[in-house]
Amino acid sequence: MSIPTPASLRHLYVPPSNAWSFVPPALAPENNSSANPSIPGPSSSNQWSTRPAPNPLFDLSSSLSRDDSGLDITSLAKELLATALLQYATNAIAQPWEVGKTLLQVQWVPREPEGPLEATEGADDEAELSDSSNENDSYFADPTADRPPKPPRPTEEHGYIVRQSLLEEGTQPEYVIPVGSADGTWGMMKRLAGFRSEGWLALWKGLLTTSVQNALTSAVQPLVYSLLQSIFSPLSPSLSSPFGPTLGTTSVLLPVASQVLTGFLLSPLDLIRTRLIVQSSVQRHRTYSGPIDALRQILAQEGGVRGIYLHPHLLVPTLLECTLRALVPLTLPGLVAANVGLGAHISPETHPVQWNIAELLGGIVGSLVLLPFETVRRRLQVQTRGTARPIKACVEIRPAPYNGMVDAFWHILTEERSDLPLKTHRRRRRRSSTAKGKAKEGAPALEEVPEESESWLRHSGIGQLYRGLGMRVGASVIVFVLALVGSPDESDGGWAEL
C-alpha cells in the first residue's frame, strides 16, 4: 500500500519582517486569502503590550514622551516648576533649624559677660595702670572732703555712650539679642521669633540663597564628577570602579574631589547665606538688602573675585569642611560597622538593618568631627575684610576679628563659656555682724552671698564648638527610623540636609 505524497506548502510561506513590530501584522493579500481561508489572524491575547516609556525628567509623569514629533516645551516647564517648588518647600521646612544653628555658632559668649569689653590687645595693661593710679589717689585723698563728680562716660563718633559690658541694658543695641539667652537650636528659634526686632519671618532669612545653593549643588556635582571620571579613568581604571560599603582610597577619591570642587565653586553663595542670616532684620541696621546686593558689596569692598575665593580666612575653612563633609558618609559607616562588630562586609542589600545602624553611628561620629570646623568657618565668614564695615548682627559677635582658623579655635576654647543659658547668680542679702550696731543710725550694711556654685562648663568653650549637635543627632535618628519603616530610596526624605 503506497502512502500519498503531501501537497507542497511553499506557496504559503511568508518571509518574516526584519524590524520589530509592536502592532498586529497586516493580513495576507486577498489572492492568498481565497487559497487558504482557514489561516487565522493573530490572536488579540498574544499581542505585544505598548507600555509608555518612563519619563526622562525626574520620573514625575510620562507626559513628555507622548509626542513623537519632539519635546513638549509646556510639559517641560511644568515639570521644572513642580521640581523647583518641591525643592523650595523642602528647604523652607529645614531653614528655621538652620537659622537657629547658625546664630548659635557665631554668637560670642565670653566667660565674664558683665566685665568690660576689650576689643584690642594690650588693653589689660592699661586697665592695670589706671587701677593702680586710682588706688594711690584714694590713699592720699581727704576722707572728709566732698567726692568729686564722676567723669563723663566715653562716647563714640555719633554721640552714643560706649558699651562697658554685654549685660548693660542701657547701652545694649536694640537689634542685638541678649547674650546667652538660648541654650539650643530650638531655644534660639523661639528667642529669635519672640524678639522685638526680628519676629517669625526672621526664621526664614536666607531661604532663597539656600535653595539656589542646594539646587546648583545637585546639578553641578554630577557634572564635575563625570568630568573628573572622563579625565582620570583612562589613566587609572580603578578610579572609576563602583564603590560600595567597603571603600578603598581609589574609589573614594573622585567622589570626594567632585564634592570639594563643587563646594569651592559655590562657596560665595554659602558666604552670602551666612551673612544674610546673621545680619539684623531692622531696616536701618541692615547691611545687605538681598543676595544680589550682598554679592555686589562683597566684590566691591572685599577684594573682588580673588578675595571671595582665595582669601585664607575663606579658602582654608571651605576646603576642610567640604572634604570632611564628603568623607563622612562614604567612609564612616563602613569603618564603624567593622569596629563595633556589625560585620566588615555588610551592605544595604544584604544586611539592611545592620547597615542602617552603622549609618546612624557614623553620622553621630561625623557630627562630632565636622561641627567644630563648621563653627569656625561660620565665624570667619561673618568677619568683613578690606574696606567693608562690620556687620550689625542680631547676636553678639566678637569685637576683635579672628586671625585664621587656629586663632579662632584657641580663642573660642580659652575665652568663652559653655553653660548656656546664662543664669543670673541669685544673691540673698543678710546683715553682717559689724552692721548690727549701726542699724539705728541709718541704712544697715548688707552683705551679698551667692547661692549657686559654678560649673566646669563656665571655664571651657568646648560647648561653643558643638552648637547644633543635638539637632544633627535628632536628624540622624529620624533618618534611621524612616529607613527602617520605609523603602531605602525614600528613607531620608530631605532630613539629611539638617
Side-chain angles (χ1 to χ4, degrees), residues 126-139:
E126 297 179 0
E128 292 178 359
L129 294 176
S130 62
D131 293 341
S132 61
S133 61
N134 293 335
E135 291 177 359
N136 295 332
D137 295 340
S138 61
Y139 180 79

Side-chain angles (χ1 to χ4, degrees), residues 69-133:
S69 60
L71 186 63
D72 190 356
I73 302 299
T74 303
S75 300
L76 176 62
K78 290 181 180 179
E79 302 294 344
L80 291 176
L81 180 61
T83 305
L85 292 177
L86 181 61
Q87 184 71 23
Y88 190 83
T90 304
N91 293 323
I93 295 174
Q95 188 66 14
W97 281 269
E98 184 67 26
V99 171
K101 183 190 70 171
T102 302
L103 294 180
L104 283 176
Q105 289 176 336
V106 302
Q107 186 182 34
W108 180 58
V109 186
R111 293 184 182 178
E112 300 294 339
E114 66 277 1
L117 294 176
E118 301 291 345
T120 57
E121 299 291 340
D124 296 336
D125 299 336
E126 297 179 0
E128 292 178 359
L129 294 176
S130 62
D131 293 341
S132 61
S133 61

Side-chain angles (χ1 to χ4, degrees), residues 235-271:
L235 302 178
S236 178
S238 60
L239 292 177
S240 59
S241 61
F243 52 88
T246 56
L247 294 171
T249 304
T250 56
S251 61
V252 174
L253 184 60
L254 286 186
V256 171
S258 63
Q259 295 192 33
V260 171
L261 289 178
T262 303
F264 170 73
L265 293 176
L266 301 180
S267 59
L269 290 177
D270 192 75
L271 173 65

Side-chain angles (χ1 to χ4, degrees), residues 352-361 473-486 491-492 495:
V353 177
Q354 290 87 339
W355 180 254
N356 290 332
I357 296 175
E359 283 189 332
L360 173 63
L361 298 178
V473 174
S476 300
V477 173
I478 292 176
V479 172
F480 173 72
V481 174
L482 293 178
L484 291 180
V485 301
S491 60
D492 55 356
W495 289 96

Side-chain angles (χ1 to χ4, degrees), residues 226-240 254:
S226 300
L227 179 62
L228 293 177
Q229 196 174 22
S230 62
I231 294 175
F232 293 102
S233 293
L235 302 178
S236 178
S238 60
L239 292 177
S240 59
L254 286 186

